[in-house]
Amino acid sequence: HVQLVESGGGSVQTGGSLTVSCVASGITLIGLYSTYSLAWFRTVPGREREGIASIGRDVRRLYADGVEGRFTISRDNDRNTLYLQMNSLKPEDTAVYTCAAEPWGATTLKPGAYTIWGLGTQVTVS
């Protein structure tokens, strides 16, 4: 079955940049990854999971209001990898960042639309 593993989290100063990655494994058919809709979510203790960026199989992108212009989502279908480049980071961006995937899914920030999830990577901005 498909598994997602995030990496690249860490600590960064306010105004800094960080890129997190999400590698998908268990996809055995060449080209199948390109049919997945992908997204990044973040979670802060005591708050609901927040969808922040999504990219569809047609490479259409969708961003939450609080990150548009600062964050960029991208995908490398040859490497089965999803990226989130984060610039101008703020302390309120501190969270666990988790990637999600859905085969033939919609480009959406709704967590219920995704059935495959990673475990997350911590990003701390101070």
Side-chain angles (χ1 to χ4, degrees):
H1 65 284
V2 178
Q3 291 186 313
L4 304 176
V5 178
E6 300 92 341
S7 64
S11 297
V12 63
Q13 292 186 338
T14 299
S17 299
L18 198 65
T19 298
V20 291
S21 304
C22 170
V23 177
S25 63
I27 299 176
T28 56
L29 293 178
I30 295 175
L32 186 60
Y33 181 79
S34 66
T35 70
Y36 282 61
S37 289
L38 307 166
W40 285 99
F41 293 81
R42 64 186 181 187
T43 308
V44 176
R47 296 176 59 181
E48 290 188 0
R49 177 176 286 171
E50 177 189 16
I52 56 173
S54 175
I55 184 168
R57 55 188 183 275
D58 58 358
V59 204
R60 185 172 75 92
R61 295 172 172 85
L62 186 64
Y63 294 98
D65 290 341
V67 306
E68 190 161 19
R70 298 189 298 124
F71 290 9
T72 301
I73 189 171
S74 62
R75 63 192 295 167
D76 185 338
N77 291 333
D78 292 333
R79 292 179 169 81
N80 290 359
T81 303
L82 174 70
Y83 302 97
L84 183 69
Q85 180 180 348
M86 302 180 286
N87 298 324
S88 302
L89 283 162
K90 306 174 182 179
E92 51 263 45
D93 294 318
T94 295
V96 174
Y97 284 72
T98 306
C99 60
E102 182 64 23
W104 299 103
T107 306
T108 177
L109 298 179
K110 297 178 181 179
Y114 298 90
T115 58
I116 305 170
W117 292 83
L119 295 180
T121 185
Q122 176 71 45
V123 173
T124 302
V125 185
S126 60

